[in-house]
């Protein structure tokens, strides 16, 4: 039934990414409604939760797989934030979407050259199965918009390019709305989670232009974090939208005053500061 339900939703990208695994993908929907909502504002949170990431047929070297159990950090951050909204007295309705899949290799796995139709009808050619996070997020963003979000924030360990640009410990922020971006930066500062805004450079859209589909799912190495964000923008459905590429901050190689070595839970505190009254 899982595959049938996702197919009925039009979640072709999630089905493709999770198709090679013995464990079918899941589009997990969460919702929070305050006792006395004081606004029609509905905040949508969308998290990438690749439970293990081999790279698929664009396979990673083994060193690149060692930390891939943390490729679900965006989804974990959404779950963590949603679980605390009642405790902080969040006055807004919040809907969460966790895009969970395991990117494995088998006779059922998706391949370079495949063409997939997004939930909103945008088509994309797979040039790399290692660029899978943006695919599941595409379905998650459209589904969240359809559920009534008036603004959306996604979190994902999306690109190595963001780590090259900003180093470990800093998340990259992209946004279509300056007020949303500024409020998230302020929330990250209050949470002591480093974040830096990077631009959505429209001329780089040409890197994503498809030959046999509307888009390609990768745009090459230069500006890789930006082209990944530009790809996601096609699925933001015209809403104020922010994308947090947390690839550089989701794990730490040493213990700090905030926690032990390993997963950091980055994004949870920023979201909670942002969603406070």
């Amino acid at each position: 039934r899982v595959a049938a339900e996702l197919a009925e939703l039009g979640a072709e990208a999630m089905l493709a990414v999770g198709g090679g695994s013995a464990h079918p993908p899941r589009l997990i929907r969460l919702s929070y409604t305050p006792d006395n909502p004081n606004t029609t504002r509905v905040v949508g949170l969308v998290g990438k939760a690749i439970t293990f990431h081999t790279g698929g047929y664009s396979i990673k070297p083994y060193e690149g797989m060692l930390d891939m159990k943390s490729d679900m950090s965006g989804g974990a951050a959404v779950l963590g934030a949603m679980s605390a909204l009642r405790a902080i007295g969040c006055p807004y309705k919040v809907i969460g979407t966790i895009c969970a899949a395991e990117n494995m290799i088998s006779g059922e796995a998706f391949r370079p050259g495949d063409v997939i139709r997004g939930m909103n009808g945008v088509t994309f050619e797979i040039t790399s199965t290692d660029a899978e996070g943006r695919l599941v997020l595409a379905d998650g963003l459209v589904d969240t918009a359809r559920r009534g979000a008036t603004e959306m924030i996604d979190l994902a360990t999306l690109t190595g390019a963001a780590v090259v640009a900003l180093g470990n410990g800093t998340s990259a922020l992209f946004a279509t709305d300056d007020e949303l971006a500024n409020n998230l930066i302020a929330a990250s500062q209050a949470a002591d989670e480093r974040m830096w805004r990077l631009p959505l450079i429209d001329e780089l859209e040409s890197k994503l232009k498809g030959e046999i589909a509307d888009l390609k799912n990768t745009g090459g190495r230069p500006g890789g974090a930006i082209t990944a964000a530009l790809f996601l923008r096609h699925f933001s459905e015209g809403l104020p939208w922010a994308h947090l590429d947390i690839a550089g901050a989701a794990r730490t190689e040493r213990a700090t005053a905030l926690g032990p070595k390993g997963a950091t839970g980055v994004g949870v505190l920023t979201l909670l500061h942002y969603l406070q009254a």
Side-chain angles (χ1 to χ4, degrees), residues 23-35:
H23 308 288
R26 297 287 196 277
L27 189 66
I28 302 167
R29 291 170 168 174
L30 308 167
S31 63
Y32 162 83
T33 302
D35 294 330

Side-chain angles (χ1 to χ4, degrees), residues 200-244:
L200 290 163
I201 300 174
D202 289 328
E203 67 187 62
L204 292 182
E205 275 280 356
S206 62
K207 301 286 188 181
L208 294 172
K209 184 173 176 56
E211 296 181 6
I212 59 173
D214 297 322
L215 303 171
K216 298 182 294 186
N217 79 315
T218 56
R221 291 177 62 85
I226 297 172
T227 54
L230 290 170
F231 179 91
L232 290 175
R233 187 173 65 175
H234 286 270
F235 305 92
S236 61
E237 300 297 89
L239 296 175
W241 160 73
H243 161 57
L244 304 182

Side-chain angles (χ1 to χ4, degrees), residues 112-127:
D114 285 354
V115 173
I116 298 169
R117 184 179 301 277
M119 206 182 276
N120 61 357
V122 175
T123 59
F124 36 91
E125 178 186 358
I126 303 304
T127 53

Side-chain angles (χ1 to χ4, degrees), residues 8-98:
E8 188 175 340
L9 284 174
E12 290 185 20
M14 289 207 61
L15 286 168
V17 172
S21 174
H23 308 288
R26 297 287 196 277
L27 189 66
I28 302 167
R29 291 170 168 174
L30 308 167
S31 63
Y32 162 83
T33 302
D35 294 330
N36 297 296
N38 60 8
T39 177
T40 57
R41 179 185 186 193
V42 180
V43 181
L45 306 179
V46 184
K48 170 191 172 184
I50 300 299
T51 55
F52 193 79
H53 181 29
T54 66
Y57 278 107
S58 305
I59 193 166
K60 294 178 176 292
Y62 84 91
E63 299 98 330
M65 295 188 209
L66 295 177
D67 294 332
M68 284 298 103
K69 61 185 178 183
S70 297
D71 212 22
M72 37 63 73
S73 296
V78 169
L79 183 60
M82 293 292 296
S83 69
L85 295 178
R86 186 75 59 188
I88 67 168
C90 174
Y92 317 113
K93 183 174 180 180
V94 183
I95 52 179
T97 305
I98 298 174

